[in-house]
Amino acid sequence: LTTWNDTASAGYVLPDEAWHVTAYYDNIRSKVQGLGPDVGWCNNYASRDLAFVCNYPMQARTEFTPRAFPDLTSLRSIMPAEQVAAINKPEENIYQPPDVFNPALHPPPGAIDVLNIVENGVEFRSVLNPNYADSFYVKPSAATLAAPPKVPVGKGIWLDQHAGDSFCDGSVDSFCNRGASNTCMLYGHNDGRNGMLFDGYSGWVVMNIPNLKNGFIVIKIESWHLTGEDPVTNGWTSINNEEGRRTTRTSSSGLRHYDGDGNSSSSSSSSKLAGSS
């Protein structure tokens, strides 16, 4: 506020660098890249062939929120249409913006209104607006979906997410987590550890990876989920619930084979695919 008050002669307009920390972060990044191999822990990843992550950015897709361009950065965005069609539809918010007036989010009469100072008469634009977001993020390209899947797509995958994830970008204009199960609609928290639940009966998870340059693919899978967490495969006895084929399923004792009738007393644990780079 002191800095803003000092700009009276300029019409109370603060330069962009007063609000953004891009230059500050770029300075930190350049110094980290110049560190020798004996400084820090990053280069210890060399034993796992991951030392390149210390100096090179990676492309990624995830179901976690918040994220910029939510519809273009989800795991579903790089899946062929046949795979997306086999997954449950994401939950929608039960109502559309705006919210009811919340006095806790506004300064009382006579107090300094920081938002008005920031806007200075110009409407604030969310990063949900693609033109605005391009100034801060590289807009991801859509995956090439022309080639059909070379394996049968999985039909037993469950999308586990919060309502309105398509609008969870972390901005002040985000509008998510307002589903039927929410007990406080004004909470609107953006943080979501979302993903896709699958087990040994779920079938193949098919994705087309765009702009692959160096061929190094990293997948984050949560293997600690319990049997029965995937609601789609409950009661299934074969992959994709299609009888008459030989199947392989993961159990606590490793990989086990099942006959076409699904005869076995063991059940597989569930896993959750959270993201890929």
Side-chain angles (χ1 to χ4, degrees), residues 127-146:
V127 294
L128 287 173
N129 182 317
N131 294 328
Y132 182 76
D134 283 341
S135 302
F136 301 95
Y137 305 99
V138 177
K139 188 175 183 178
S141 60
T144 302
L145 305 179

Side-chain angles (χ1 to χ4, degrees), residues 90-211:
E91 183 184 2
E92 296 182 355
N93 293 318
I94 61 175
Y95 67 98
Q96 299 301 316
D99 274 319
V100 297
F101 180 77
N102 184 355
L105 299 179
H106 298 270
I112 296 177
D113 191 335
V114 176
L115 182 58
N116 281 338
I117 295 174
V118 174
E119 294 179 350
N120 195 28
V122 179
E123 183 181 0
F124 181 82
R125 292 174 295 171
S126 164
V127 294
L128 287 173
N129 182 317
N131 294 328
Y132 182 76
D134 283 341
S135 302
F136 301 95
Y137 305 99
V138 177
K139 188 175 183 178
S141 60
T144 302
L145 305 179
K150 294 181 173 56
V151 294
V153 299
K155 300 177 181 178
I157 303 165
W158 177 258
L159 176 62
D160 180 27
Q161 46 85 254
H162 298 300
D165 275 6
S166 294
F167 304 99
C168 280
D169 68 345
S171 72
V172 297
D173 284 347
S174 64
F175 198 81
C176 54
N177 212 359
R178 290 169 170 84
S181 61
N182 291 91
T183 58
C184 180
M185 297 301 173
L186 293 181
Y187 183 47
H189 205 296
N190 278 230
D191 185 31
R193 298 181 62 82
N194 310 322
M196 296 182 182
L197 287 165
F198 63 95
D199 60 22
Y201 286 159
S202 295
W204 290 96
V205 180
V206 181
M207 291 179 281
N208 296 320
I209 303 178
N211 304 321

Side-chain angles (χ1 to χ4, degrees), residues 10-24:
Y12 294 102
V13 177
L14 283 171
D16 285 345
E17 56 266 23
W19 297 105
H20 303 298
V21 292
T22 302
Y24 180 71

